[in-house]
Amino acid sequence: SILAHKAQIMDAIELKTPNAIVTCALDHAIKMWDLSTGTKLGSFNPKHKTGVRCLDYTPDFSGSIISVAHENVIKVWSPEVSIHRAYVGGLEGHNTAVTSAKFFESSPYVISVDEKLSIRIWDIRSLVCLQVLTQD
């Protein structure tokens, strides 16, 4: 059941394939649930080092998910390929904790913002930062 999280659930997203939802919580965990049975399909590993704030999903590009914790790195996942090998890599470059990250619709690009109001544009295909915008 959803009670498998050990701390407050912060976000949930729907996946198209499989018919599932993914939840994240302050227990550092991200879990996938089958919508038809309500059973847990698995947990994403490696876990974040801190509580997970939010998730975003695009059905494009192998069904990618990004997760934001109280950390400088955004994790990229592709659970449609395999729940047990879902981790793709990290978007690394922020100097302070990331507060939010979202996919651009129908594109491989992600926008993120950190606690110092630095904005970054990423390409999840290469895990590379394409542009940095800072507050002057």
Side-chain angles (χ1 to χ4, degrees), residues 48-64:
H48 279 277
K49 295 176 183 158
T50 62
V52 186
R53 297 178 193 224
C54 60
L55 303 167
D56 199 25
Y57 167 73
T58 181
D60 304 313
F61 310 99
S62 301
S64 297

Side-chain angles (χ1 to χ4, degrees), residues 11-15 20-24 55-58 64-66:
D11 203 1
I13 55 173
E14 175 191 15
L15 299 187
I21 61 169
V22 176
T23 57
C24 67
L55 303 167
D56 199 25
Y57 167 73
T58 181
S64 297
I65 294 173
I66 51 174

Side-chain angles (χ1 to χ4, degrees), residues 1-5 19-23 31-42:
S1 80
I2 295 289
L3 298 176
H5 277 290
N19 185 25
I21 61 169
V22 176
T23 57
K31 299 176 187 278
M32 185 185 299
W33 309 89
D34 184 305
L35 276 177
S36 58
T37 64
T39 58
K40 184 174 86 168
L41 296 173

Side-chain angles (χ1 to χ4, degrees), residues 52-97:
V52 186
R53 297 178 193 224
C54 60
L55 303 167
D56 199 25
Y57 167 73
T58 181
D60 304 313
F61 310 99
S62 301
S64 297
I65 294 173
I66 51 174
S67 58
V68 173
H70 298 269
E71 303 168 2
N72 299 18
V73 177
I74 302 159
K75 290 193 176 186
V76 180
W77 312 88
S78 186
E80 291 182 9
V81 175
S82 168
I83 182 70
H84 303 292
R85 289 175 286 158
Y87 185 65
V88 174
L91 304 177
E92 301 182 31
H94 280 284
N95 296 321
T96 61

Side-chain angles (χ1 to χ4, degrees), residues 54-56 66-68 74 91 98-103 110-113 122:
C54 60
L55 303 167
D56 199 25
I66 51 174
S67 58
V68 173
I74 302 159
L91 304 177
V98 177
T99 57
S100 182
K102 298 288 181 194
F103 281 102
V110 169
I111 185 169
S112 61
V113 63
W122 307 88

